[in-house]
Amino acid sequence: SFFGVCLCGQFFSFDGFRAGHADEVQLRVVVYGKDRHHIGVFVLDGVAQGSGSWSYTASETSGNYTFKNFSNTSGCTVSGRKVTIPYSATDVTVTANYVPNFTIAFNGNGATGGSMTNQSMVYDSGTAIKSNSFTRTGYTFAGWKVNNTGSLISDGANGSKLSSTAGATVTLYAQWSAGSYTIKFNGNGSNGGSTSNMTCEYNDLPF
């Protein structure tokens, strides 16, 4: 019978019965990386057919990808990044699924104070964008925009779907709302007339 496991570009194959031991098999493990480069060949001798199991633990990260889960695991046991496959299994294909990692960079977009370091993000992980640390004199922080365009993104929103491209960098630009102030008028001894108050935005001179 055929025994094989495909783990995100890695291939494991049953190599036939062990010579002189009809009740035992030899498991030949051929491992390839994600870019199909050859890593090595490992042989497990004297594996009793129909009993026991073999386990594989997926790497937590691989390049610009992070392990998410296994699929096609019928008849196998999964615990986190570890899958256990019985030697009695035949025609088994188990896939280790990885999701892209990307980076969020922050631009103060006119900020007069504060700074923010980049944030590493795993796609579809539900991770929130870290809180704004920029300040701007006379303005209130309103949120973020990707590349300073498009829809406003609130502070602390889920940022894990801003990109699905492994290794990408997404730049968020701070958005600012100008503060306002009120000008009041005093007649300073006038004997008639009045002037209403005037509300102006910061840096927007009325005269």
Side-chain angles (χ1 to χ4, degrees):
S1 63
F2 175 83
F3 177 88
V5 184
C6 177
L7 291 150
C8 205
Q10 301 178 0
F11 182 74
F12 306 82
S13 64
F14 167 66
D15 205 37
F17 292 111
R18 185 185 178 198
H21 298 268
D23 60 341
E24 295 181 350
V25 299
Q26 184 183 75
L27 187 65
R28 182 172 178 266
V29 182
V30 184
V31 183
Y32 295 91
K34 292 181 68 63
D35 60 355
R36 302 300 296 171
H37 68 278
H38 187 263
I39 295 176
V41 178
F42 310 93
V43 177
L44 305 178
D45 268 326
V47 175
Q49 188 179 35
S51 64
S53 61
W54 179 82
S55 295
Y56 172 82
T57 300
S59 299
E60 184 174 3
T61 59
S62 180
N64 288 315
Y65 293 82
T66 294
F67 175 80
K68 182 179 182 181
N69 58 24
F70 288 107
S71 58
N72 304 324
T73 57
S74 178
C76 305
T77 302
V78 177
S79 177
R81 292 185 289 111
K82 179 179 180 180
V83 59
T84 301
I85 305 162
Y87 287 129
S88 58
T90 58
D91 298 332
V92 175
T93 300
V94 176
T95 303
N97 300 301
Y98 286 77
V99 290
N101 302 328
F102 64 95
T103 300
I104 298 178
F106 300 90
N107 186 304
N109 196 22
T112 54
S115 63
M116 295 184 69
T117 57
N118 292 349
Q119 180 179 7
S120 297
M121 191 68 68
V122 177
Y123 178 74
D124 201 19
S125 62
T127 304
I129 300 168
K130 60 185 179 181
S131 298
N132 170 58
S133 295
F134 294 117
T135 58
R136 185 178 179 183
T137 302
Y139 290 79
T140 300
F141 177 73
W144 306 98
K145 285 188 178 181
V146 175
N147 295 329
N148 214 20
T149 62
S151 302
L152 190 69
I153 301 171
S154 61
D155 206 22
N158 177 8
S160 67
K161 289 189 176 181
L162 291 178
S163 177
S164 59
T165 302
T169 297
V170 176
T171 303
L172 295 181
Y173 285 75
Q175 304 299 304
W176 304 98
S177 297
S180 62
Y181 60 95
T182 300
I183 300 175
K184 295 183 179 181
F185 300 91
N186 188 309
N188 195 25
S190 66
N191 56 15
S194 64
T195 300
S196 301
N197 294 343
M198 180 181 293
T199 300
C200 303
E201 287 189 349
Y202 184 79
N203 258 358
D204 182 19
L205 299 178
F207 306 112

